Amino acid sequence: MARRQRGGRCRGGGPPTGRALALLVPLWLCAACGGTAPVYNLSLTVDEGLPAETLVGDIRAGLPPGAGPPGGFLLSEGSGESAVLADFHVQPETGVIRTARRLDRERRARYSFAAATLRGEVVQVEIAVTDVNDHPPRFPRDYLQLNISELSPPGTAFRLPAARDPDAGRFGTQGYALLEEGSAAGEPPLFQLRYGRPEPLELVLLQRLDRERADAHRLVVEAWDGGSPRRRGRLRVSVRVLDENDNAPAFSRSEYWARLREDAPPGTSVCRLRATDPDLGPNGEVRYSINRRQSDPDGYFAVEERSGVLRLRRPLDREARALHRLVLEARDGGAQPEVSSALVSVSVLDVNDNRPAIRLLYLTESGGPWVSEGARPGDYVARVSVSDADEEGAEEGGGGGIALALLGGDGAFALRPSGVGIFFLCVAGPLDRETRDLYELRLVATDGGAPPLSAEEPLLLRVADLNDEAPAFPQPHYRAAVSEAASPGTAVLRLSASDADEPGSPNAEVRYALEGDPAALALLRIDARSGAVSTRARLDRERQAALEVRVVARDGGHPQRAAACRLSVRVEDANDNEPRFERQVYRGRLPEHAAPGRCLLQVKATDADANQFGEIEYFLYDGFHYYEKSKAFQIDPRTGQICVSQDIDREGDPTTYDLLVKATDGGGLSAQAFVRIEIEDINDNHPVFEQAVYVTSISSHTKPGTEIINVVATDRDSGIYGAVMYELVPGEFSSFFTVDASTGSIYLISALGHLTHSVLFLTVSARDGGGLSSATNAAITVNILQTALAPAIFERSRYAFSVPEDAPEDSPVGSVKAREPPDSLEAVSYRISSGDPHGKFSIDPQFGVIRTQKQLDHETQSVAVLTVQSQLGNSPVYSSTQVNISVIDINDNPPVFLTRSDKVTISHTQPPGTAVYIAHAEDKDSGLNGAIKYSIASKQSNPFSIDPSLGVVNLTRTVFADKQREYTLHIAAEDCGSPPLTSFLMLTVIIEEQKMGPTLVFQNLVYQVEISEATSPGARILQVKAHSLDLHSVTSKLTYSLEPSTDSIAFEINSDTGWLYLRKHLNYECTQILSFRALVSTSEDENLRQNASTSVIVNVLDENDNPPVFMRESFFFEMEENPVPRGVVGTITAVDKDSGRNGQLSYFLLSDGKYFKMNSNTGEIINWVALDREKQAHHQLTVLVTDHGSPRLNATAAVYITVRDLNDNRPFFPQAAPGHGLHLKVLEGQPPGTLITTVFAKDPDSGNNGVVLYSIDSG
């Protein structure tokens, strides 16, 4: 750009600059000498930064128009050092101006020189360098540090140096921006810039600084110009925040926990406290001290002022104080020092003999162990914290933390861990208070010590409910027992009904009442408040052995709610009842000669009492008194079976036996009954002939059909067994005769005239109805008289007569008649040939009249069988007949009692119908004359009757209330003869009140005791005591005993004191509960002895007397190697016969914790580090199992784990370095097959995984 100006004089255009004038002066002077030289001005502009040889302008443009060619120019800048010429190329010939190099306006903004033409014209050339935006703004320095106190208030301004930009105008500095390095997005700025054209650049504080938060701030102040694009310059400003003592020292923790063994010596370091003060210098120098006013007044501890190390000064005693809480202060060094404090809790550690501690914090609304049945799963019930004074020490010793387990609850509750040692007890399932209002939970905390210790915390959680429940009995049916000898007011049991409503409120106040059977209500009552059931009146077990009532429990709410349960009261027996026979008279029949031991009948007595009082023993006596026991019979004392004890012959012994049976119970009370045994006949006797030899004579002319003789045989048996049948034994002459089978009469059936024998011999046998034959047969000799005379023959072969036994001597009985043969002149004579050995009868020899010769006695001989013979003159021939004479009984014998008077004693409690006595009289007469009927001839009224045929005296009513204690009965025995004969027996019946000893009862119906299985034999266990219910009686010495049983054999009892002692060791693992009965009895008379019994229940407590036992001595497992841990390898199982904590087992590894861990609860061996078979193929572990008893018992087992191979290794060549090949050299010219080298590879795997195959991969 050129600008031309013309002037008339030198000064017309303005003065040239100094150096141009200096150059033009010579020229100008020369021109001036010749005249006035015109001076023209030429202004040119050029942008800076253009490349060299850029055209700037032409000097000729400064000449006036129309001027001729200048012919060249003379320049005022002639020197080679001219700045103009250094930056511009001026062609003197043409006046063209070009840049010699790039121009920099900021270095030089204007150029001026003069150029004169040869004509003397002077052109004053002004070249202005036009600015371009080639410089950014620049601060005086790149970095500036400001020190600002952290107490400087907001609004404080700090002067900053302004930025300078060589460019001019809009290309100069236009504004500033502030950047904060490291500031988070969204944070409010701490600083801002304030600047203006006249005002200086200032950094203004917007917020108070906090050196402890940031001790320095890095800022960037950016200046920008107006170019396009803008150029910027930056100033880094570092703001250092100057410290003030505005911070108190801060401990790293608000509370420190330290553990220190109580045997630590003084000087032992407890812990190191570290408090930091972000202030600087003295303000941040922290010194430590213990606040003695608030803690550790006894000076157990000291802290180093500078280091903060807390040390022990005095010996500790954990039993005196297990926890020391110290308040430590940290103080800085400021002029006004700041102080802070921290709590240091020092737990004094003991040896690992402390069980974990369980602490509960209920989170329920009531703050207690109540949880609403409306609680939902997940609701918190309690916060459980577990701690162990030994825990830190256990961890240092290699133990783990504390494991907490919840036992019980049936899944209704669960534990939820929440940090170390903190658990929350939560509801895990639905709750129903009506189903279950109480949960018995157990929290078991087990520490990680070796051996581990555990603690158990019982937790009774009650489920709260609304007032919507009726009272409830724990069980629907209660059973109790009370002795019938108990006096009114005796406690039976106490019932308790619970009401689910709020305790103490009327809704939960329960009142009791009895309902049901009026008879039971008359005997029992219940206390309305306590529920205690007691007797109202005396009891009688035999009348009512069980009492059934309803117990109703009503609450006090509105409306009233009620619940009921059954109460069954068993009335226990006292010996207040005598035995009772089912019958008072027993009848039995027994065949004679029954084998001893054969039982014919069983008597049965019952006793309404129970147990030993109802146990009956039987005794058997002859007759009706307790004089002597029966010899012919015996009785089983337990069953009442009556058996024969000796041989009985009906023909030689009595045919009837009257026996007395006595039944005695275990308490000494007795009753009696009568037994009549009739002996049945058996065919045990053979027929016996009255004569072994019979002799008779007959004429050879006797006609057939004539009765020759009559033989008689008798059999002692009765009935069919005593009926005799006769028969003729076949012989030489038996064919001439026959015998009447029933009478024994022998008849001639064939004529004898042709016989030449004078004597015939016959044999007759007798056989009874049972088939027995006579042992000796009757031998009959028949003499045959060879005469022409015939014998006189009786008109009848048998005669039968009867005569009263009181017939006087020489009374006629009957007559026999024999007819003489025709044409016979001889007289017939009669004689008794046999059947009258005592001569009681005679016969008239002429007329055949049979008379009594002596006094007859039916009772001695009721039948006489006579053989009467007739003889004709002096003829040797005679005939015979049989005369049967029945001696008719007359009532000439009165009944006869064995004794004229007798006495019997009965109990006043005997019931009506009891047989008191059997009156037995005998009458020798027969038939009606011997039939006896009995009666009581006493005129006074009495409670007795008699059976007229049996003579059994019975009790017709009770005599319990009678004042009369003795009755005299005149018992008459009258036969049925005419006139009847009578005898009397005076019977005295004494009514005796049963003398019972005082009723005994034990103080407790059931005794319960717990004893350890480790209790030594001989140890005293328990004392049972009995006493009499009759306070006014004097009880004799009591004797205690044990009922023999398998359970009682382990114990013995002192018979005098009732103390029970252990006889032998108990074993909980075999038997946990032993139950037996203890007995007591008085030592009085056997009949008055009293007994009682009680139950003894012994609960055997377990002791840790069995060590754990592994199921195997060694365990073997296999697992495959793997680059990651495999988890559970296997489970080790041990058993412990003990129970509870004694049988609770924990497992521990005693070796190889590098690769394996163990679940102490389950016995699982867990692989937690990857296994490499190539490093270790076999692992041997030792496992310890220990129970939780005291002292703990343990056992060990070996575990062998084999690691199976996995093909996880590549073969490698040991000759070559890894990653490098194998280089070999071979001479050329070698023939094929030449061995170059041998290579081998290794594979650490085993089996097929380690077999290496070789091949050459060409390439």
Side-chain angles (χ1 to χ4, degrees):
M1 179 178 177
R3 184 174 60 215
R4 182 181 60 188
Q5 185 177 357
R6 182 179 177 183
R9 291 184 296 180
C10 292
R11 57 181 181 273
T17 60
R19 192 166 183 178
L21 291 175
L23 292 174
L24 294 176
V25 167
L27 296 176
W28 184 76
L29 290 177
C30 291
C33 292
T36 302
V39 178
Y40 302 97
N41 293 321
L42 177 62
S43 296
L44 300 175
T45 61
V46 62
D47 290 339
E48 65 177 332
L50 295 177
E53 299 302 325
T54 298
L55 179 63
V56 177
D58 190 341
I59 300 175
R60 290 176 297 181
L63 296 176
F73 294 94
L74 295 175
L75 302 178
S76 61
E77 299 293 330
S79 173
E81 296 180 359
S82 171
V84 174
L85 297 180
D87 291 336
F88 297 96
H89 289 161
V90 181
Q91 296 180 0
E93 296 83 5
T94 63
V96 176
I97 304 173
R98 295 183 182 273
T99 60
R101 56 184 178 184
R102 291 184 183 272
L103 301 180
D104 185 1
R105 192 197 69 81
E106 289 70 35
R107 184 171 59 84
R108 187 166 183 174
R110 302 186 69 84
Y111 295 87
S112 178
F113 67 91
T117 63
L118 295 180
R119 294 192 299 268
E121 298 168 318
V122 178
V123 179
Q124 182 67 39
V125 180
E126 294 290 337
I127 301 176
V129 182
T130 305
D131 188 29
V132 295
N133 194 22
D134 59 344
H135 288 90
R138 292 187 182 275
F139 288 93
R141 54 181 179 269
D142 295 335
Y143 174 79
L144 176 66
Q145 179 171 320
L146 293 178
N147 293 327
I148 303 177
S149 171
E150 59 181 334
L151 297 180
S152 297
T156 304
F158 301 92
R159 180 71 61 85
L160 297 179
R164 297 290 181 261
D165 193 331
D167 296 326
R170 64 184 183 89
F171 295 134
T173 302
Q174 298 297 316
Y176 298 90
L178 181 64
L179 303 177
E180 292 190 36
E181 294 184 358
S183 62
E187 288 188 358
L190 297 174
F191 305 92
Q192 73 177 12
L193 291 176
R194 185 170 63 196
Y195 61 91
R197 292 297 178 183
E199 291 86 4
L201 177 62
E202 292 178 328
L203 182 66
V204 181
L205 186 63
L206 297 179
Q207 300 182 43
R208 187 181 294 274
L209 300 180
D210 186 358
R211 191 200 67 79
E212 289 70 37
R213 184 175 183 184
D215 60 353
H217 299 274
R218 295 189 301 274
L219 308 177
V220 176
V221 179
E222 186 178 76
W224 45 272
D225 60 19
S228 181
R230 288 182 176 181
R231 289 184 177 270
R232 291 175 172 83
R234 290 190 173 186
L235 171 64
R236 289 188 298 109
V237 180
S238 174
V239 178
R240 183 164 68 91
V241 184
L242 298 180
D243 183 47
E244 299 291 342
N245 193 20
D246 59 342
N247 289 281
F251 283 94
S252 58
R253 286 180 283 176
S254 61
E255 183 175 0
Y256 290 84
W257 285 90
R259 293 175 294 183
L260 191 64
R261 294 175 61 91
E262 64 176 333
D263 58 354
T268 300
S269 173
V270 179
C271 66
R272 183 186 184 102
L273 288 87
R274 183 170 182 81
T276 58
D277 192 325
D279 296 328
L280 297 178
N283 295 334
E285 292 180 358
V286 179
R287 287 178 172 81
Y288 302 90
S289 63
I290 298 176
N291 189 330
R292 299 291 183 183
R293 290 186 304 169
Q294 297 183 5
S295 63
D296 194 27
D298 300 323
Y300 281 97
F301 300 90
V303 63
E304 294 181 0
E305 186 181 38
R306 291 286 187 179
S307 66
V309 175
L310 182 65
R311 296 186 182 276
L312 184 67
R313 285 185 59 201
R314 295 174 52 190
L316 299 175
D317 184 358
R318 184 181 186 279
E319 287 64 37
R321 190 171 181 181
L323 178 66
H324 294 265
R325 301 178 72 87
L326 310 177
V327 177
L328 275 87
E329 294 181 343
R331 188 184 307 269
D332 62 23
Q336 295 181 347
E338 297 284 343
V339 180
S340 64
S341 61
L343 181 64
V344 178
S345 298
V346 181
S347 296
V348 182
L349 296 182
D350 201 357
V351 183
N352 188 21
D353 59 349
N354 290 280
R355 302 180 185 277
I358 303 174
R359 295 177 180 84
L360 281 172
L361 175 62
Y362 290 103
L363 305 177
T364 57
E365 293 182 1
S366 63
W370 292 83
V371 58
S372 172
E373 67 174 335
R376 295 171 298 178
D379 287 356
Y380 291 129
V381 177
R383 177 183 180 272
V384 184
S385 60
V386 292
S387 61
D388 193 333
D390 300 329
E391 183 180 2
E392 292 296 328
E395 291 180 356
E396 291 170 4
I402 302 174
L404 184 65
L406 177 64
L407 303 180
D410 299 330
F413 300 92
L415 285 174
R416 181 180 298 172
S418 178
V420 178
I422 303 298
F423 299 84
F424 285 100
L425 178 64
C426 303
V427 177
L431 300 177
D432 184 0
R433 189 185 186 284
E434 288 66 44
T435 302
R436 186 172 183 180
D437 64 346
L438 178 65
Y439 286 87
E440 297 183 7
L441 309 178
R442 288 184 296 139
L443 294 170
V444 179
T446 304
D447 62 22
L453 298 178
S454 62
E456 183 173 307
E457 178 73 20
L459 176 58
L460 298 179
L461 275 183
R462 297 187 179 276
V463 183
D465 196 8
L466 302 176
N467 185 21
D468 59 348
E469 293 300 319
F473 287 97
Q475 56 194 63
H477 191 187
Y478 287 85
R479 292 177 173 84
V482 61
S483 173
E484 64 177 330
S487 58
T490 300
V492 179
L493 85 163
R494 182 179 181 275
L495 293 175
S496 178
S498 60
D499 194 304
D501 299 323
E502 181 180 359
S505 68
N507 298 322
E509 291 181 359
V510 180
R511 295 292 184 268
Y512 302 91
L514 296 180
E515 296 179 356
D517 182 14
L521 296 178
L523 299 174
L524 296 175
R525 63 185 170 198
I526 188 169
D527 186 85
R529 287 185 174 273
S530 66
V533 179
S534 59
T535 59
R536 184 190 296 272
R538 288 199 173 273
L539 306 176
D540 185 356
R541 192 194 70 85
E542 290 69 38
R543 177 178 294 176
Q544 195 165 2
L547 305 176
E548 292 283 342
V549 294
R550 289 177 68 249
V551 182
V552 180
R554 296 181 175 89
D555 61 22
H558 297 284
Q560 193 176 59
R561 295 182 180 273
C565 70
R566 285 180 58 199
L567 172 60
S568 299
V569 179
R570 177 171 51 87
V571 181
E572 289 193 333
D573 190 38
N575 195 25
D576 58 346
N577 289 277
E578 298 88 355
R580 296 284 186 269
F581 280 97
E582 293 179 348
R583 288 182 283 169
Q584 293 300 311
V585 179
Y586 291 83
R587 292 176 178 273
R589 303 178 70 85
L590 178 72
E592 61 176 333
H593 299 299
R598 177 175 174 177
C599 299
L600 63 151
L601 64 87
Q602 182 179 21
V603 297
K604 181 69 175 178
T606 58
D607 194 316
D609 297 322
N611 299 326
Q612 71 270 22
F613 298 142
E615 296 178 356
I616 297 176
E617 187 174 8
Y618 299 93
F619 302 92
L620 188 65
Y621 300 92
D622 271 335
F624 305 119
H625 300 276
Y626 308 142
Y627 298 149
E628 59 177 304
K629 293 186 177 181
S630 173
K631 296 179 181 178
F633 297 91
Q634 62 185 10
I635 190 168
D636 188 302
R638 295 298 178 190
T639 65
Q641 287 277 0
I642 297 178
C643 307
V644 64
S645 59
Q646 66 182 24
D647 182 69
I648 297 177
D649 184 7
R650 182 180 179 278
E651 289 73 32
D653 296 320
T655 60
T656 301
Y657 287 83
D658 289 318
L659 305 175
L660 175 67
V661 178
K662 179 181 179 183
T664 304
D665 64 19
L669 302 182
S670 62
Q672 64 185 24
F674 301 99
V675 179
R676 173 163 289 176
I677 300 175
E678 295 182 0
I679 305 301
E680 294 179 337
D681 186 37
I682 65 171
N683 194 21
D684 60 338
N685 289 281
H686 294 264
V688 176
F689 284 97
E690 292 184 351
Q691 300 173 218
V693 176
Y694 290 84
V695 179
T696 187
S697 300
I698 63 173
S699 171
S700 59
H701 301 287
T702 301
K703 295 180 179 180
T706 302
E707 181 179 348
I708 303 301
I709 196 171
N710 181 248
V711 295
V712 177
T714 58
D715 193 314
R716 297 176 63 190
D717 296 323
S718 62
I720 190 173
Y721 300 135
V724 179
M725 304 294 290
Y726 303 91
E727 63 177 337
L728 201 60
V729 178
E732 180 181 2
F733 307 106
S734 60
S735 60
F736 292 94
F737 301 92
T738 186
V739 63
D740 188 309
S742 59
T743 64
S745 297
I746 300 175
Y747 296 91
L748 181 67
I749 60 173
S750 179
L752 302 175
H754 62 284
L755 287 178
T756 59
H757 295 78
S758 60
V759 178
L760 302 180
F761 297 99
L762 300 176
T763 301
V764 177
S765 68
R767 185 177 68 253
D768 61 22
L772 294 181
S773 299
S774 55
T776 302
N777 293 332
I780 302 170
T781 301
V782 180
N783 295 307
I784 305 301
L785 301 177
Q786 298 293 331
T787 177
L789 293 176
I793 304 300
F794 284 96
E795 294 178 348
R796 286 181 289 176
S797 61
R798 179 177 296 176
Y799 292 87
F801 304 110
S802 62
V803 59
E805 63 175 331
D806 62 345
E809 294 181 3
D810 200 31
S811 296
V813 177
S815 61
V816 295
K817 177 72 175 173
R819 294 184 183 277
E820 63 273 9
D823 302 329
S824 173
L825 298 177
E826 295 290 336
V828 178
S829 62
Y830 302 93
R831 68 183 180 93
I832 298 175
S833 63
S834 64
D836 186 21
H838 301 291
K840 293 184 177 182
F841 299 95
S842 64
I843 190 169
D844 187 322
Q846 181 179 359
F847 298 104
V849 177
I850 301 175
R851 294 178 177 274
T852 60
Q853 188 169 306
K854 293 181 179 180
Q855 184 67 44
L856 301 180
D857 187 4
H858 170 83
E859 289 70 38
T860 302
Q861 185 177 8
S862 59
V863 176
V865 180
L866 306 178
T867 301
V868 178
Q869 291 182 340
S870 66
Q871 186 176 13
L872 189 61
N874 293 320
S875 171
V877 180
Y878 56 87
S879 64
S880 62
T881 187
Q882 179 175 316
V883 179
N884 292 334
I885 301 174
S886 296
V887 180
I888 299 174
D889 182 42
I890 64 170
N891 194 19
D892 59 345
N893 289 285
V896 178
F897 288 103
L898 297 178
T899 180
R900 300 186 63 179
S901 65
D902 208 345
K903 183 184 293 186
V904 67
T905 301
I906 66 172
S907 171
H908 72 298
T909 60
Q910 293 288 351
T914 300
V916 177
Y917 187 78
I918 292 185
H920 184 70
E922 293 183 353
D923 194 320
K924 294 181 179 180
D925 295 327
S926 60
L928 292 177
N929 297 327
I932 301 174
K933 56 183 180 181
Y934 300 92
S935 62
I936 296 177
S938 304
K939 295 182 180 180
Q940 62 179 357
S941 175
N942 57 67
F944 301 98
S945 65
I946 191 168
D947 187 299
S949 59
L950 298 177
V952 177
V953 179
N954 297 302
L955 192 63
T956 58
R957 61 176 174 82
T958 61
V959 294
F960 184 84
D962 288 6
K963 295 181 178 180
Q964 185 175 349
R965 287 292 177 256
E966 185 175 301
Y967 293 87
T968 300
L969 307 179
H970 294 277
I971 299 176
E974 182 181 48
D975 63 23
C976 296
S978 181
L981 300 178
T982 304
S983 295
F984 292 94
L985 168 68
M986 187 178 70
L987 177 65
T988 301
V989 181
I990 299 173
I991 309 300
E992 181 182 56
E993 184 175 354
Q994 190 71 40
K995 300 298 183 181
M996 296 176 58
T999 304
L1000 294 178
V1001 294
F1002 278 92
Q1003 290 181 352
N1004 298 322
L1005 294 176
V1006 178
Y1007 288 85
Q1008 284 190 297
V1009 66
E1010 294 181 344
I1011 60 175
S1012 168
E1013 64 175 332
T1015 304
S1016 301
R1020 194 160 67 173
I1021 304 302
L1022 171 72
Q1023 186 181 28
V1024 296
K1025 297 188 71 175
H1027 62 276
S1028 171
L1029 290 176
D1030 187 356
L1031 300 179
H1032 301 290
S1033 66
V1034 178
T1035 305
S1036 62
K1037 178 182 178 182
L1038 301 181
T1039 301
Y1040 296 92
S1041 61
L1042 296 181
E1043 184 179 59
S1045 68
T1046 55
D1047 285 354
S1048 66
I1049 196 172
F1051 303 90
E1052 59 184 352
I1053 191 170
N1054 186 305
S1055 60
D1056 297 326
T1057 64
W1059 272 104
L1060 271 75
Y1061 296 86
L1062 188 64
R1063 290 183 58 191
K1064 63 178 185 178
H1065 281 290
L1066 302 178
N1067 189 348
Y1068 173 87
E1069 287 69 40
C1070 294
T1071 305
Q1072 293 80 45
I1073 298 178
L1074 299 170
S1075 179
F1076 52 90
R1077 296 188 69 80
L1079 311 176
V1080 65
S1081 63
T1082 62
S1083 56
E1084 298 172 351
D1085 181 82
E1086 179 181 351
N1087 293 329
L1088 301 177
R1089 179 174 298 166
Q1090 294 294 304
N1091 303 282
S1093 65
T1094 186
S1095 295
V1096 179
I1097 299 175
V1098 178
N1099 295 299
V1100 184
L1101 300 180
D1102 185 38
E1103 291 292 336
N1104 195 22
D1105 56 346
N1106 290 281
V1109 177
F1110 282 100
M1111 302 301 290
R1112 293 189 296 239
E1113 292 183 0
S1114 300
F1115 294 83
F1116 297 89
F1117 300 103
E1118 285 189 359
M1119 64 179 301
E1120 192 176 69
E1121 63 176 334
N1122 200 286
V1124 296
R1126 294 300 299 271
V1128 177
V1129 178
T1131 302
I1132 306 300
T1133 305
V1135 295
D1136 194 316
K1137 293 181 180 179
D1138 296 320
S1139 64
R1141 293 181 57 80
N1142 297 329
Q1144 183 180 347
L1145 302 181
S1146 294
Y1147 301 85
F1148 302 94
L1149 272 183
L1150 298 183
S1151 59
D1152 198 356
K1154 179 179 179 182
Y1155 296 99
F1156 300 95
K1157 288 184 176 180
M1158 189 154 212
N1159 187 318
S1160 61
N1161 295 324
T1162 64
E1164 294 175 327
I1165 296 178
I1166 302 170
N1167 168 229
W1168 68 293
V1169 174
L1171 299 178
D1172 187 353
R1173 191 202 66 83
E1174 288 69 42
K1175 291 183 178 179
Q1176 188 172 350
H1178 301 280
H1179 296 266
Q1180 180 176 347
L1181 313 179
T1182 301
V1183 176
L1184 171 76
V1185 62
T1186 178
D1187 58 28
H1188 288 220
S1190 179
R1192 294 194 173 193
L1193 303 178
N1194 55 61
T1196 58
V1199 180
Y1200 301 92
I1201 300 176
T1202 301
V1203 183
R1204 295 196 306 271
D1205 184 44
L1206 180 70
N1207 193 20
D1208 57 345
N1209 290 280
R1210 298 174 180 275
F1212 67 93
F1213 291 95
Q1215 303 96 322
H1220 297 78
L1222 180 63
H1223 298 280
L1224 300 175
K1225 292 182 179 180
V1226 61
L1227 298 175
E1228 61 178 343
Q1230 297 296 323
T1234 300
L1235 177 64
I1236 299 174
T1237 186
T1238 300
V1239 296
F1240 66 93
K1242 291 183 178 180
D1243 192 320
D1245 295 324
S1246 64
N1248 291 333
N1249 296 334
V1251 176
V1252 179
L1253 302 178
Y1254 299 90
S1255 64
I1256 296 177
D1257 185 9
S1258 61

